[in-house]
Amino acid sequence: SLSSRGKGLFATKNIRKGETVFVERPVVSSQFLWNALYNYRACDHCLRALETAEENAQRLLGKSSLVLPHPEQCSIRKDLHQQCPRCQVTYCSAECRQAALEQYHQVLCLGPSRDDPAHPLNKLQEAWRNMHYPPETSSIMLMARMVATIKQAKDKEWWVKAFSQFCSKTANEEEEIVHKLLGDKFKGQLELLRLLFTEALYDEYLSRWFTPEGFRSLFALVGTNGQGIGTSSLSQWVHACDALDLPMLQREELDAFIDQLYKDIEKESGEFLNCEGSGLYVLQSCCNHSCIPNAETSFPENNFLLHLTALEDIEAGEEICISYLDCCQRERSRHSRNKILRENYLFTCSCPKCLAQADDADVTSDEEEEGEGETDDAELEDEMTDV
């Protein structure tokens, strides 16, 4: 029901509100490095959360005695989990272990060097963590998996073409994206990353990716197109509990328990509830932004499968747009919205809402001015809808 014209996605048939427009698997994805370090345990391939809902809640609360009601509503199947026999990274299933091995893991498997700080891949990851702190929006390992995928591929050209579908930028725009991701010392940091990346992964076939210009382009491609992925066994359990057919009193009790649980977790862990990473999605990256989107992305399967769902009826021929801003950002003035979009995505929006507000004063309201200094990295991330 889709066609991609230039950069933009258009419906080829009528799509009803609430309908799934498509489900897409990423060409490549990776969990964020700090997220993994802080024990947000996820499948190393598909990012499916590996903790049971109860373990997830206990860790986020810092309270190992917590017992969740309706444990049968938890979808985690620990009996299916598998580890790489060489480096012990964990997968949610034999299928994921196999898929990772076939696509990129042969090149990236650390074997017995998993905890060796001198291993080139570990040096690369450590350098990245020291440059890019939470809230995370990207990972150097997404780029490493791109290289490893091509290294392992029989048809290398097919993969190079697949990656080249993602929009490319001018040299100046690339610099802006790198600056946004790495901060003011970005030139020196980018060069350090390039040297470590080369030491860990150099490949003759891809030699252009390892030059200063090629590496910057690769970095900017991931910075612009990486779609945030969030998974959570707790939120899966909550959705399953919401669907239970319970007597009214039990329903009220369960709802009150869940509300309180989330309040307590927020006190303890703040906003970091999910296993988080990012991925490159060919169709999703074709979707343009609108401040009044007619579709949104989510990850209802608790893994990297992206669902695009219609928020309105969409007619054949109409463009399908998502929002690169979260709900709060979308409610701000046109000036504020465009400031965020220009800084993070290098464009000015001309959706109907922005055109209608074109005559509004180019100033932000007072309360917005106070928040202006806080345009943090989280805004670079494509909206990470609740999973």
Side-chain angles (χ1 to χ4, degrees):
S1 63
L2 307 163
S3 65
S4 172
R5 285 209 297 272
K7 187 83 170 52
L9 207 59
F10 297 81
T12 54
K13 68 176 181 61
N14 292 345
I15 299 166
R16 317 263 358 124
K17 179 179 178 175
E19 230 177 90
T20 301
V21 184
F22 61 73
V23 177
E24 185 176 19
R25 168 186 298 268
V27 216
V28 67
S29 63
S30 181
Q31 187 179 4
F32 293 147
L33 294 180
W34 281 106
N35 190 257
L37 197 69
Y38 281 126
N39 283 326
Y40 288 75
R41 295 183 50 240
C43 173
D44 199 57
H45 183 63
C46 79
L47 268 102
R48 183 184 300 283
L50 297 175
E51 294 173 304
T52 63
E54 188 167 275
E55 289 169 334
N56 191 195
Q58 288 171 346
R59 178 175 56 79
L60 292 171
L61 267 181
K63 185 172 164 190
S64 57
S65 58
L66 175 85
V67 177
L68 287 187
H70 303 285
E72 75 290 343
Q73 297 304 315
C74 174
S75 60
I76 301 305
R77 295 279 308 277
K78 289 202 157 186
D79 52 317
L80 299 179
H81 295 178
Q82 290 203 356
Q83 289 187 312
C84 166
R86 292 190 61 239
C87 70
Q88 275 71 56
V89 295
T90 310
Y91 297 100
C92 68
S93 61
E95 290 75 20
C96 276
R97 183 168 76 87
Q98 196 53 36
L101 196 64
E102 284 172 11
Q103 189 184 330
Y104 55 79
H105 191 65
Q106 290 169 48
V107 167
L108 297 178
C109 181
L110 292 171
S113 305
R114 187 177 176 191
D115 298 318
D116 173 8
H119 188 285
L121 275 170
N122 285 335
K123 278 166 38 184
L124 177 68
Q125 293 183 67
E126 180 62 16
W128 176 258
R129 275 195 298 266
N130 287 326
M131 295 175 192
H132 188 69
Y133 290 94
E136 297 169 276
T137 59
S138 196
S139 169
I140 195 76
M141 292 313 287
L142 197 60
M143 295 161 63
R145 285 188 178 180
M146 290 167 73
V147 170
T149 295
I150 294 172
K151 277 187 157 192
Q152 279 189 215
K154 290 193 175 61
D155 185 353
K156 296 180 189 297
E157 203 39 50
W158 186 90
W159 280 100
V160 171
K161 279 208 179 74
F163 291 131
S164 69
Q165 294 174 70
F166 295 96
C167 73
S168 49
K169 302 279 185 193
T170 66
N172 280 349
E173 289 174 331
E174 286 176 358
E175 293 238 319
E176 284 183 50
I177 294 162
V178 176
H179 182 194
K180 186 71 194 171
L181 273 172
L182 294 181
D184 287 338
K185 301 199 197 81
F186 74 93
K187 287 199 166 110
Q189 291 190 323
L190 189 67
E191 185 54 19
L192 173 63
L193 285 173
R194 185 180 73 85
L195 295 172
L196 291 169
F197 196 76
T198 304
E199 184 191 352
L201 293 158
Y202 185 77
D203 184 74
E204 194 54 46
Y205 183 81
L206 291 171
S207 57
R208 200 186 64 75
W209 283 11
F210 294 88
T211 65
E213 298 73 30
F215 186 68
R216 187 188 61 207
S217 295
L218 187 61
F219 204 91
L221 179 151
V222 167
T224 318
N225 294 283
Q227 157 71 42
I229 302 168
T231 64
S232 160
S233 41
L234 181 61
S235 78
Q236 287 275 296
W237 173 83
V238 170
H239 285 309
C241 285
D242 286 346
L244 287 173
D245 192 10
L246 297 172
M248 201 167 92
L249 200 61
Q250 269 182 276
R251 164 54 59 202
E252 285 172 0
E253 271 179 7
L254 183 57
D255 287 351
F257 173 84
I258 290 171
D259 287 346
Q260 191 56 48
L261 178 64
Y262 271 116
K263 282 188 187 122
D264 294 344
I265 286 175
E266 192 176 352
K267 277 198 204 94
E268 185 66 32
S269 296
E271 64 198 282
F272 298 106
L273 303 187
N274 298 336
C275 297
E276 292 183 359
S278 64
L280 296 177
Y281 295 83
V282 175
L283 282 176
Q284 175 273 337
S285 77
C286 293
C287 290
N288 283 316
H289 163 83
S290 169
C291 297
I292 35 172
N294 56 11
E296 72 176 356
T297 58
S298 63
F299 299 90
E301 297 186 51
N302 194 28
N303 65 5
F304 63 15
L305 290 175
L306 178 147
H307 287 234
L308 189 78
T309 310
L311 292 172
E312 312 287 344
D313 288 350
I314 302 171
E315 293 187 11
E318 204 179 325
E319 184 170 11
I320 296 168
C321 292
I322 57 178
S323 176
Y324 299 172
L325 305 173
D326 65 30
C327 315
C328 301
Q329 293 166 347
R330 280 208 296 277
E331 293 315 308
R332 296 175 72 178
S333 67
R334 180 185 68 96
H335 179 72
S336 296
R337 294 197 307 272
N338 274 301
K339 183 170 184 283
I340 297 167
L341 290 167
R342 265 196 310 277
E343 281 183 4
N344 295 306
Y345 299 97
L346 313 183
F347 71 85
T348 300
C349 184
S350 56
C351 73
K353 181 174 179 176
C354 286
L355 292 176
Q357 295 175 342
D359 296 330
D360 294 1
D362 269 351
V363 290
T364 50
S365 59
D366 290 343
E367 67 212 47
E368 288 189 331
E369 277 302 339
E370 284 166 25
E372 281 305 316
E374 297 161 21
T375 307
D376 62 19
D377 291 348
E379 290 169 346
L380 183 62
E381 200 165 341
D382 282 347
E383 180 180 357
M384 199 184 270
T385 320
D386 285 342
V387 291

